[in-house]
Structure formats: C-alpha cells, structure tokens
Amino acid sequence: MTFDNQPVEVPQTLPMLPVRDIVVFPYMIIPLFVGRESSIRSVEDALAKNRLIFLASQKDIAEENPTPDTIYKVGTVAKIMRMRKLSDGRVKILIQGEAKAQITSFTKTTGSYEVAIEKIEDKNTATTPAEIEALVRTAKESIEKIIALGKALSPDILLVLDDVTDPGRIADLIASNLGVKVQEAQKVLETTDAKERLSLVCQILASELEVLQAQAKLRGNSREDQHKNQRENFLRDQMKAIKSELGEGAAQDSKSEEMEELRNKLMNAGMPETVQAEALKQLNRLERMHPDASEATMVRTYLDWMVDLPWNKSTEDIHDLAHAKAVLDDDHYELQKAKDRVMEFLAVRKLKTTMKGPILCFSGPPGVGKTSLGRSIAKAMGREYFRIALGGVKDEAEIRGHRRTYVGAMPGKIVQALRQCKTKNPVIVLDEIDKMASDFRGDPASAMLEVLDPEQNTTFRDNYLNVDFDLSKVLFIATANVVENIPPALRDRMEMIYIPGYTENDKLFITKKHLINRQMEANGITSDNIKFTDEGIKFLIAGYTREAGLRNLEREVGSVCRKVAKKVVMNESNFVEVTAQTVPELLGPPRFLRDDKMLEPQVGVVQGLAWTQAGGEVLLIEALKMKGKGSMMLTGQLGDVMKESAHAAMSYARAHMDELGIEQEMFEKFDVHVHLPAGAIPKDGPSAGITLTTALVSLLTGTPVRNDIAMTGEVTLQGRVLPVGGIREKCLAALNLGITNVIIPMANGKDLEDIPQVFKDKMNFILAENLDEVFAVAFEKSDRFTKNKPSAKKDPKKGSTKSAAA
C-alpha cells in the first residue's frame, strides 16, 4: 500500500471498469483479472491516455453484462501500474486506488463504458481528538482478537495503522483488508464523513468478531461430540496413547540428554560471564520449544556457533627473533620495512605479553608479495592464518553479520574466520581492502572502523551473535593497491607500510631462488631438462614483462618450462639451456622494447622520469616551434595536472624572458608544440614540471639539453622545485637505461635511502631547489645559465660530494 499525500488530478471523463465481488478503496494496490471484451477495451483506452480508470462494483456479481442501473454510482479512480496479457486471452492488471468519485452520467455504453465523474472529498465533522483515538483503539483491539481467532489477516496491518493518523484512511485500510461483503464495503466507501466511516467500520469489526467467536464455540462443541461418539473405541485409543507416550518419553529423554550435553559445552567454552548468561538464556528457550519448530533450529544453530568460537583458546607466539627473521628472509626477498615492523612487534611481545595487536596495511603494486607476506608472518609467529577477500564486498552484513531474524542469517566474515582458526589470536589478512564498495545494503568500510580500531575492537559486536567478542589479540594485516581509495577514517586506523616494486636485480634473484623451482615442479620437469642462465633470465624480465610485481614474470617462466616439457615428451630435446638467444625461440619476439637514451644533446628534447604501477619509466618530452601567433599545443594524452604544468612552464619562461635571453618575437610570431611520445598511453601526474620548463626554455633559447641527464620534479611559478613521489623507481629506471645523472628536488634527498647502496654508488644525484640550478646542470656548455651555478652539495647518504653542475 501507499500513503502518498500528493493529490491526483481527476479528469471529467474516464473509461469505466465494472468489477465483481470486490470494492476498491483509495490507496489500495491490488491485481485484477479482466476477461470481458468491453472491460479489456476500457483498460486499453486508459493505457492509451493517462492510465487512469474508474472502478465501480456490480450490484449483482453473477451478471455477465451489467447495465448502468446495476452498477454502483460511487467508485474509485485508479491508476494502472502494470498490465500483462495472459495466454487464455485475459489481461492481468495491477491497479492503485487514487481517489473517490461519483458517476454523473454515462457518456459511452457501446463496446466499452466511459463515464463522466465528479471527485468526492471527505468531510470532517467537528470531533475531539479523544473521540477519534477511542475509535482507532477499538478498531485495533477488534483486529487483534480477529487475528487471534484465526481470521486470515496480515499481522502487519497493525504496524501500518500505527503510521496513519487520518481516521478516513484508517477506515478505508481496515475495510479493504477485512474481506467483507460487497454491500457492506460499498456502504463504507459511500460514507464521506471520516468519523462516521470509522464508526461504521468498528461496527462491522464487532459483527465479524461475534461470528468468529460463535464459530470457535461450535468447533469446541463438535470436538466434544466427536469424543463421545468414540467412547466404544476407548481401550484401543488408550493403548495407542500409551505407546505414543512411551515413544515421546524416550524422545524427551533423548532431548534432555542433548540439552544437558549442550549446557556442559556452554559452561566449559570459557565465555565471559555476560556472554555465558545470554547463551544459557537461549538454551532455556530451546528446551521449552518443540524440536520441529523452525525457531528451534535457528536457536540451536546459534548455540553451536557460541560453543565453537575460541573464547579463551589461543596459540603461544614464537618469540625467537632469529627464527622469525630466517622464515621471513627465506620466503621473501627485500621488503625490509615490513620485515622490520614484524620483528619489532615480536620483540615488544616478548617483553610485554598483554599488548594489543597492531593494524598493519601493506600497500603497493600488484604482485609484490603483500598477501603472501601475511602468510609468512603467521608462520614466523607460530599463529593460525586466515585470508578474507574483500574485493567487491558491498554488504555491511558481510563484516558485521546478519541479525538472527532474517532467514539464512550468518555471522560476518570476521567471526567466521575466528571459528575456522579455532584461536582468538590468528593472523587475519584483509585482502584488497581498497576494493570494498557501498550500496543500498550499507557501507562495509564503515563497519570495518570498529574491527580495525584497537580502542574499540575489544568489544566487537557481531549482529548475529549479539554479544561482545574481543578482537584485540588478532593481528590484522590489510593489503591495498591504491591507498587513496581507502576512506580517510579507515585509513587513519591502520599503520601504512608501502612495499615498492622490485628492481631487475631483485627479480633476477627471486626468479633463481623461488620462481624457477616452483614452476619446474608444477610442470613436471627437473634440472636435468632445463637450466636458466642469468642472461636468459634478464632478457626474459626486460623483454617479456613490464610490471612492479612478479606475477607475469612467473607466468613467463612457467611458459618456458611448458615449452621444454613439450620438447622432452616429444623426444625433440632432453635438455634446454635458457639463454638470451633461446628465449625468443621459445616465447617468440620480445613484447617490450626499451627506448634508447638520447645519443646526443638536442634542442627542446628532455629526458623525464615517470612512475607507473609497473615501476619507473624514462619519458622523452619534445618541444617544437613553428611560425604562428604565440599559441601552445599539447599532445600525447596528457592529463589535467600535466597540462597545467605545461602552462605554468610557459608562464615562467615569458615572465623571465629577459634573464633567460628569450626574444619577444618567440611569443608573438611562433607557435609551440609540446609532445610526449606513445600518445596512446594516458599520462598525468605532478612530476614533469621541471622537465617541461627545461624543454620550453631549451626550445626558445636554442640551447641543447644534455643527453646524459634525466630529471623529475614539480615547479612553481616562482621557479621553486617541489618534491614528488616514486624517487626509487624513477632513479632505477634511469640507471637501467644507462643514465647516471639524475636531477631530483632537494626535498626528496631523504628518499635516497630507499635505493640500494650498490645502485647509489653508480649514480650521481643532483639535488635542486630552484630552476636556476636545474638549468645550470641541464644545458650543454652554455655560459648563459651558469651565472647562478650553485655550489657543490654534499650527499649525506653516500658521504661523497656531488656538484650540482655534475
């Protein structure tokens, strides 16, 4: 039903549909089956116009072709919500009553009915609120008694009545649900005074209640008569009853034993007092229920969950830090920050046994080992391990559980994990926490706030259990690819540990130690059949994968192993050495080719550094001038941030044209085109500011840019160089291309400690604070930009002096 207060516009004429054995009231939604041809035409006429139709009841329900004299004049204007044609030629429509109206005349009677109508408004006589309240209460009490006596009414009608205050609507609602005769229902419909209509409904309810009470009394008398008629079979019935009682007694004994066993389990489960009291209360309810009742099954399932949860069961942590370090180092290469944090936790745990579990979040590109690191941590600590996949979870109940009133209710994923682990201090990995979403069923990220807050999760309450459970002993480890997708409130509750991508040397080591052995075993070959050389692995890494993690690399190693397995089985070769020459024979031509670095200094061409999920990249930025009117064109699929950086670079060049030595006509008679090659690949990010500025200044001054240098950093309109991210990946990408001189912002000097020392020894890092320092280093042998040449800066990470002019 609907109780929309919006008035409906009633036309002067409407198609009419005579209905049998029912009176339709306003605000009533009901399906109707239409079979008469004239009635079907009326429905089609209504659908062709405004979907409104007038419904009037027949005085004689048996009449097949009613005339205007046999149709009640007062009816209901209704809207056709849906219509469906049935296979037997009938039509099923779903209608909603909108307003009362009265027929003033029949404008069409052939083929189908069309009537002129007049809307009827309710009258409200002067009555006190107390009188209306008394009638409403009387009606509700009568409905409760009628339902108790077995009348087929929905109990929800009482809840709906609580939300309705208009006495006229209350009367219509009761009359439409009571199922009274057409004459009585029509009398209610035609009563326009709201108080009188409600009073009439109370009279109908009282009459219906008397009939139901008389029926109940007759049924009781009938049972007594039946009992008297069966006295001659008393002995046989008594014997059956005795046998039945003996069987029920045995069943009762079995049930009592089961309940006592369940009670002992609850008493010995180690629950807190408040939790145990709630469990015993539910057990007492179960004892009073019939075993075949549906609610008994639900309560029994609930008690089984309560018994199985590890209220006081926990594993003892392994405090041997040397063992933990050996396990972590054996399973994972590098990832030093994450390993150090776990070692710190174990060290503190050894000194203080009553500490709360930290909430760690490993973030980084796919395939770098975030999830498997959680398994290794559990192994190092001697704890149980469980992984919860959160990708695509939209329902809050997946985290907090369903209430037991719902059919098929279950606890949330957290409680399910604890039941499966059978300990209260496992390592639970919340995988892909940044992939959770929200919809009309709730926001699971908000439900996670309680789980991942050490100050709140001591009293975590699952909706299914409806009691507190202590999660403070659980070591939660979340994983995420993009931290920015995690809501700020949830991110604040976790300790973020970034896991960067692997370098080519890292991938070489991991492939030799882990991936090759794993894929050889998976594909059924041994070291007698295949051997990987370092050159072959490096060629495989550089030519067939471009990622920060290891998943695609492991797939390619597996593909090589399968090719070799095929050769072995077909007796083509029993041994294959994988080298840089044999990899293309097995896998085909390389899929990725690295761009060569600039061979010589060029005007308007600068080597920039970019960060991607696959690691660092060296990107060429090209600038070209042509005759024009001073406009600037940007191509190469640049994002908004990079476009703004290009405009800022041009503004800086125009503002400092005198000191840079740029002629005025460059901005008046020439157009500038800035392009980043590989135009099909979207590019954006705040790290190309100094690269774009250097390219434009080089173009406008005709000064070549050194070909042995790469740079990254954002720039302001005042020429200050701002810090950027991804320094480690960018610098290693430059080194892989043979570029050893890299300009980075001064504020990023602290990030150099993330670069392995073996690589830092091969590189020359130039720390710049402003564009003057960038120009002094970047431009090839030009005195124009060396007047502000900065003094030498000392790199604290290496202890060697690196000149800003390199």
Side-chain angles (χ1 to χ4, degrees):
M1 293 187 178
T2 178
F3 296 98
D4 189 2
N5 290 323
Q6 294 294 329
V8 64
E9 292 292 334
V10 178
Q12 293 182 351
T13 61
L14 281 177
M16 189 201 73
L17 178 64
V19 292
R20 316 177 196 233
D21 68 358
I22 190 173
V23 175
V24 179
F25 286 85
Y27 311 106
M28 180 179 180
I29 297 178
I30 188 173
L32 295 177
F33 290 90
V34 182
R36 291 181 286 207
E37 291 185 5
S38 59
S39 299
I40 293 176
R41 290 196 192 99
S42 297
V43 171
E44 292 173 346
D45 292 341
L47 291 174
K49 297 178 181 178
N50 51 12
R51 306 182 74 91
L52 293 178
I53 194 168
F54 184 76
L55 304 177
S57 301
Q58 299 179 193
K59 296 179 181 179
D60 183 5
I61 63 174
E63 188 172 0
E64 186 64 28
N65 297 308
T67 63
D69 296 332
T70 59
I71 296 175
Y72 288 106
K73 297 298 185 289
V74 177
T76 301
V77 178
K79 176 175 285 187
I80 301 175
M81 302 172 67
R82 286 197 297 271
M83 188 270 281
R84 183 162 64 95
K85 293 183 179 180
L86 303 180
S87 58
D88 57 1
R90 294 185 302 164
V91 171
K92 181 181 179 181
I93 61 174
L94 182 67
I95 59 97
Q96 175 179 350
E98 297 287 354
K100 293 182 186 179
Q102 183 174 1
I103 300 175
T104 57
S105 64
F106 284 81
T107 59
K108 179 184 177 184
T109 57
T110 59
S112 63
Y113 281 112
E114 186 177 274
V115 294
I117 59 173
E118 180 180 354
K119 188 176 179 181
I120 300 175
E121 301 289 348
D122 274 353
K123 301 176 183 177
N124 290 314
T125 56
T127 56
T128 62
E131 294 177 334
I132 298 297
E133 182 65 23
L135 289 172
V136 172
R137 289 186 182 182
T138 300
K140 289 181 179 179
E141 290 174 0
S142 299
I143 289 176
E144 290 177 353
K145 293 177 181 178
I146 288 173
I147 292 175
L149 288 171
K151 180 74 172 180
L153 290 182
S154 172
D156 293 340
I157 189 174
L158 297 172
L159 299 176
V160 177
L161 290 175
D162 289 338
D163 296 332
V164 184
T165 57
D166 184 6
R169 289 193 179 184
I170 292 176
D172 292 344
L173 178 63
I174 296 174
S176 63
N177 282 273
L178 199 56
V180 296
K181 296 178 180 179
V182 172
Q183 293 82 355
E184 293 179 337
Q186 185 68 28
K187 188 175 180 181
V188 173
L189 183 68
E190 294 177 356
T191 304
T192 58
D193 185 86
K195 178 191 172 185
E196 291 182 7
R197 190 155 75 250
L198 184 56
S199 178
L200 178 60
V201 168
C202 288
Q203 295 175 14
I204 295 174
L205 286 172
S207 176
E208 184 71 14
L209 185 59
E210 289 179 0
V211 172
L212 290 174
Q213 288 173 342
Q215 285 181 342
K217 185 176 180 181
L218 288 174
R219 283 196 296 268
N221 293 337
S222 177
R223 283 195 295 269
E224 291 179 3
D225 294 341
Q226 186 179 10
H227 181 67
K228 290 178 182 178
N229 293 334
Q230 293 176 348
R231 286 184 182 277
E232 63 274 12
N233 299 321
F234 174 72
L235 183 59
R236 183 173 62 246
D237 293 342
Q238 190 178 40
M239 292 299 296
K240 289 181 180 180
I242 292 173
K243 292 179 181 179
S244 176
E245 289 177 5
L246 287 175
E248 290 180 0
Q252 287 292 337
D253 291 341
S254 175
K255 180 181 178 181
S256 299
E257 292 178 4
E258 186 181 3
M259 293 299 104
E260 192 62 31
E261 180 182 357
L262 187 55
R263 186 183 302 275
N264 291 335
K265 289 181 179 179
L266 291 173
M267 297 297 291
N268 297 326
M271 303 176 183
E273 292 183 4
T274 55
V275 177
Q276 190 178 79
E278 175 65 21
L280 293 176
K281 176 183 175 183
Q282 296 298 326
L283 179 62
N284 293 334
R285 286 186 59 216
L286 180 62
E287 289 179 331
R288 295 192 298 269
M289 293 180 187
H290 192 278
D292 295 335
S294 59
E295 190 176 1
T297 304
M298 182 269 292
V299 176
R300 178 56 194 265
T301 304
Y302 170 76
L303 293 176
D304 288 340
W305 273 97
M306 297 290 279
V307 169
D308 291 342
L309 286 178
W311 299 98
N312 65 346
K313 300 175 184 176
S314 60
T315 55
E316 186 175 351
D317 289 343
I318 299 175
H319 295 133
D320 187 351
L321 268 63
H323 165 76
K325 187 176 187 306
V327 171
L328 294 174
D329 289 341
D330 186 59
D331 291 348
H332 292 272
Y333 179 72
E334 284 290 335
L335 310 184
Q336 201 56 46
K337 284 187 178 180
K339 294 178 182 178
D340 289 343
R341 182 61 184 89
V342 176
M343 299 295 289
E344 292 167 5
F345 171 73
L346 292 176
V348 176
R349 187 80 178 179
K350 186 173 183 179
L351 299 175
K352 185 180 180 181
T353 58
T354 59
M355 65 173 293
K356 296 177 180 178
I359 312 295
L360 306 179
C361 181
F362 296 149
S363 63
V368 295
K370 301 184 296 293
T371 305
S372 58
L373 183 59
R375 184 184 293 106
S376 299
I377 290 172
K379 179 181 175 183
M381 297 176 64
R383 291 191 178 192
E384 295 293 327
Y385 167 81
F386 194 88
R387 172 182 167 271
I388 298 176
L390 296 177
V393 171
K394 297 182 179 180
D395 193 351
E396 177 189 347
E398 292 287 334
I399 308 300
R400 206 184 288 275
H402 303 79
R403 300 192 183 278
R404 296 197 301 274
T405 52
Y406 294 102
V407 176
M410 287 187 66
K413 291 181 178 291
I414 305 298
V415 173
Q416 293 180 36
L418 292 170
R419 184 191 192 188
Q420 187 162 338
C421 291
K422 298 181 181 179
T423 62
K424 65 183 299 183
N425 64 337
V427 174
I428 295 181
V429 172
L430 304 172
D431 211 7
E432 308 287 3
I433 198 170
D434 58 328
K435 303 298 190 299
M436 286 192 298
S438 60
D439 62 1
F440 65 93
R441 288 166 290 191
D443 184 4
S446 299
M448 272 291 182
L449 295 177
E450 183 183 4
V451 177
L452 298 183
D453 192 340
E455 301 301 325
Q456 296 183 33
N457 63 12
T458 55
T459 56
F460 172 72
R461 177 162 291 218
D462 186 276
N463 288 331
Y464 182 84
L465 300 181
N466 201 28
V467 292
D468 294 340
F469 195 97
D470 185 5
L471 298 179
S472 62
K473 302 298 187 294
V474 179
L475 176 56
F476 286 105
I477 296 177
T479 69
N481 295 134
V482 183
V483 176
E484 288 73 19
N485 291 345
I486 305 174
L490 183 58
R491 197 187 320 156
D492 181 62
R493 283 161 166 78
M494 298 184 290
E495 180 181 342
M496 310 302 297
I497 298 177
Y498 179 71
I499 299 179
Y502 295 107
T503 65
E504 287 194 2
N505 279 12
D506 295 340
K507 292 181 179 180
L508 173 63
F509 182 87
I510 296 171
T511 303
K512 293 169 64 177
K513 184 177 180 182
H514 298 285
L515 304 186
I516 292 176
N517 293 333
R518 189 187 305 168
Q519 289 301 319
M520 285 171 57
E521 181 180 354
N523 292 285
I525 58 177
T526 64
S527 57
D528 296 333
N529 306 120
I530 190 171
K531 178 184 178 182
F532 284 82
T533 64
D534 289 357
E535 292 75 16
I537 298 173
K538 289 179 180 178
F539 189 82
L540 187 65
I541 294 170
Y544 296 85
T545 65
R546 184 159 292 183
E547 56 173 347
L550 300 167
R551 289 200 180 105
N552 285 329
L553 176 56
E554 185 169 5
R555 292 190 188 103
E556 297 302 330
V557 172
S559 180
V560 171
C561 291
R562 290 193 298 274
K563 302 288 186 185
V564 173
K566 178 183 174 184
K567 289 179 176 292
V568 171
V569 173
M570 298 182 68
N571 294 324
E572 295 179 6
S573 175
N574 289 326
F575 178 80
V576 175
E577 185 177 30
V578 181
T579 64
Q581 290 74 32
T582 58
V583 169
E585 298 175 5
L586 295 170
L587 300 180
R591 300 185 185 93
F592 304 103
L593 297 175
R594 292 193 179 275
D595 297 330
D596 294 331
K597 68 175 182 178
M598 292 169 53
L599 299 179
E600 59 184 15
Q602 298 183 38
V603 174
V605 182
V606 185
Q607 295 175 130
L609 298 174
W611 179 92
T612 69
Q613 285 194 353
E617 289 288 342
V618 177
L619 295 180
L620 287 181
I621 293 181
E622 301 175 347
L624 184 69
K625 66 181 180 182
M626 63 204 83
K627 289 185 178 182
K629 298 181 180 180
S631 63
M632 183 170 66
M633 185 190 315
L634 303 173
T635 56
Q637 276 239 51
L638 306 187
D640 291 338
V641 176
M642 197 168 283
K643 289 178 181 178
E644 292 172 0
S645 297
H647 287 294
M650 179 61 80
S651 297
Y652 179 86
R654 298 187 67 165
H656 298 80
M657 55 184 294
D658 293 335
E659 55 192 273
L660 293 174
I662 303 175
E663 298 178 2
Q664 177 68 33
E665 66 176 8
M666 288 293 179
F667 302 107
E668 298 175 351
K669 299 181 179 179
F670 291 93
D671 290 343
V672 175
H673 184 176
V674 178
H675 177 66
L676 272 72
I681 302 173
K683 310 171 190 71
D684 199 10
S687 64
I690 65 172
T691 316
L692 288 164
T693 307
T694 303
L696 288 174
V697 172
S698 170
L699 175 70
L700 298 174
T701 61
T703 308
V705 181
R706 290 171 53 181
N707 63 317
D708 62 342
I709 200 164
M711 62 185 71
T712 182
E714 192 50 275
V715 69
T716 69
L717 291 177
Q718 286 76 30
R720 290 190 300 112
V721 180
L722 301 180
V724 294
I727 293 296
R728 178 180 186 269
E729 290 81 3
K730 293 175 180 177
C731 292
L732 293 180
L735 183 62
N736 289 335
L737 206 59
I739 302 173
T740 57
N741 299 311
V742 178
I743 301 176
I744 63 174
M746 176 68 73
N748 284 121
K750 57 181 173 48
D751 297 321
L752 296 180
E753 67 180 16
D754 295 336
I755 302 177
Q757 188 66 41
V758 64
F759 298 127
K760 284 198 289 188
D761 292 339
K762 300 177 182 179
M763 300 189 72
N764 177 23
F765 300 101
I766 301 108
L767 308 180
E769 291 183 292
N770 54 61
L771 284 174
D772 290 336
E773 299 178 358
V774 175
F775 296 157
V777 176
F779 291 121
E780 173 72 14
K781 298 179 181 178
S782 175
D783 296 333
R784 181 184 300 173
F785 301 100
T786 56
K787 60 181 180 178
N788 296 323
K789 177 178 175 179
S791 59
K793 294 180 174 62
K794 186 175 182 180
D795 183 356
K797 309 301 176 186
K798 295 182 58 175
S800 61
T801 301
K802 295 295 181 185
S803 171

